[in-house]
Amino acid sequence: MGVTLMTAAGEFDGDNEGQVTAVENMINAGDAGILITANQSSANEPTIQKARDEGILVIALDTPLDPEDASDALFATDNVQAGVLIGEYARAALGDLPAKIAMLDGTAGTTVSMQRHDGFLQGFGIEEGDEAIVCQGDTNGMPDLAQTVMENCLTANPDINVVYTVNEPAAFGANTALVAAGTAEDAIVVSVDGGCEGVRGVQDGRISATSQQYPLLMASMGVEAVVDYAQTGNAVSGYTDTGVTLIADEAVEGVESEDTTFGLENCWGE
C-alpha cells in the first residue's frame, strides 16, 4: 500500500514499559497512526493521549483501552459474546450434572480477561461467587502457569468437570494437568481464540469448544484505516466488531456452532 510499517512488542506478557517506549519511538518517528494491543489496558493511557495530541490516529486492536475512548477506535472481537458462547456450550454439554467449575483467567486487570470471564458466567447462567465455581486463578494466558493452576485446582477439587480458560495456550496447560490426573475424559474444557493450533486442539479432543476470533482481520482493517487517514484525513472512530464463531465438533442443541473444518479454513497462526 506504499507505506512503511514499524513493529514492536514488550519483552514479556504484561510489559507495559516496553509498549510505552515503543509508542514514544513511533511518536518521534512521525508515524501517521498506531495500532496497539495493550499489555495493560489503562497503564499506558497518558502516552496514548500524547500520541493523539500529536495528531496520530490510535486504534486499539483486540483489547479495549481503559477507558475505551482512550483510543480513537477499537477493532476487536466482542469478548463478552465470545465468553457467552463457550459458557452456553459448557452448560448444554454438561447436561443435568452438578457443575464443578475451574476458571483459568488471563492477566489480572486486563479488559479482555475480564470480559471473557464475565461472558462465560453469563452464558453458563451463574453469577460471580456462585458455589459451582470451585477454583479460580490467573494464568497470564500461558500453558505452564495454567498447568500449575489446574494442578492446584485438582488437588483441592478432583471432581472438576468444567474448565473455562481465557485462551487456548491456557487450555493446553489445563489439559496436561487433567491428563496427568486421569480426569481429562470427565472434564469439558472451553476456551477462546480460534488459532490454528487451538482448532486442532478441538479436533483432537484436548479442547471441547472454542470461540474463534479474527485478529488478522483486526490488523488488516487497522492498517487500511491508518492509510486512509494518512491519505485523506478521514479518521475512523468507535468500535468495530470483527466477529466471533463457536467452533465445536460435537454440537449441542440450542447453541450455534461450526465444526473444525470451518475452523481450520478460517484460523490464524501456524
Side-chain angles (χ1 to χ4, degrees), residues 30-159:
D31 284 5
I34 294 173
L35 313 177
I36 183 167
T37 301
N39 280 335
Q40 296 179 21
S41 300
S42 61
N44 53 19
E45 193 274 334
T47 310
I48 294 297
Q49 187 58 51
K50 180 180 177 181
R52 296 177 70 188
D53 290 343
E54 293 286 335
I56 296 172
L57 181 68
V58 178
I59 301 175
L61 303 180
D62 183 61
T63 304
L65 300 183
D66 185 12
E68 189 169 312
D69 63 3
S71 63
D72 292 292
L74 168 66
F75 293 165
T77 303
D78 182 340
N79 280 290
V80 173
Q81 179 61 15
V84 167
L85 289 172
I86 58 172
E88 290 177 340
Y89 182 92
R91 176 70 273 176
L94 187 62
D96 295 330
L97 291 175
K100 301 288 185 180
I101 303 171
M103 298 199 70
L104 276 60
D105 293 312
T107 302
T110 59
T111 50
V112 165
S113 181
M114 292 185 289
Q115 289 171 347
R116 294 179 182 181
H117 174 108
D118 293 347
F120 171 84
L121 296 181
Q122 181 182 331
F124 201 86
I126 57 177
E127 296 182 355
E128 194 72 64
D130 192 286
E131 63 181 11
I133 304 170
V134 298
C135 188
Q136 189 171 339
D138 293 331
T139 69
N140 293 339
M142 303 297 290
D144 292 348
L145 184 52
Q147 180 180 341
T148 299
V149 171
M150 193 70 232
E151 288 170 348
N152 293 337
C153 285
L154 289 168
T155 297
N157 303 277
D159 56 348

Side-chain angles (χ1 to χ4, degrees), residues 77 79 81-90 93 116 120 163-172 188-214 243-252 255-264 266-268:
T77 303
N79 280 290
Q81 179 61 15
V84 167
L85 289 172
I86 58 172
E88 290 177 340
Y89 182 92
R116 294 179 182 181
F120 171 84
V163 182
Y164 157 83
T165 61
V166 69
N167 66 3
E168 290 148 2
F172 290 136
I188 298 162
V189 179
V190 293
S191 195
V192 178
D193 268 349
C196 296
E197 184 178 2
V199 175
R200 286 191 287 268
V202 175
Q203 196 172 48
D204 65 25
R206 289 175 291 167
I207 302 172
S208 305
T210 192
S211 283
Q212 185 171 65
Q213 59 177 348
Y214 303 101
V244 62
T245 306
L246 183 70
I247 304 298
D249 275 338
E250 295 185 18
V252 296
V255 185
E256 186 175 344
S257 64
E258 298 284 351
D259 63 16
T260 53
T261 299
F262 174 95
L264 289 172
N266 294 276
C267 66
W268 49 274

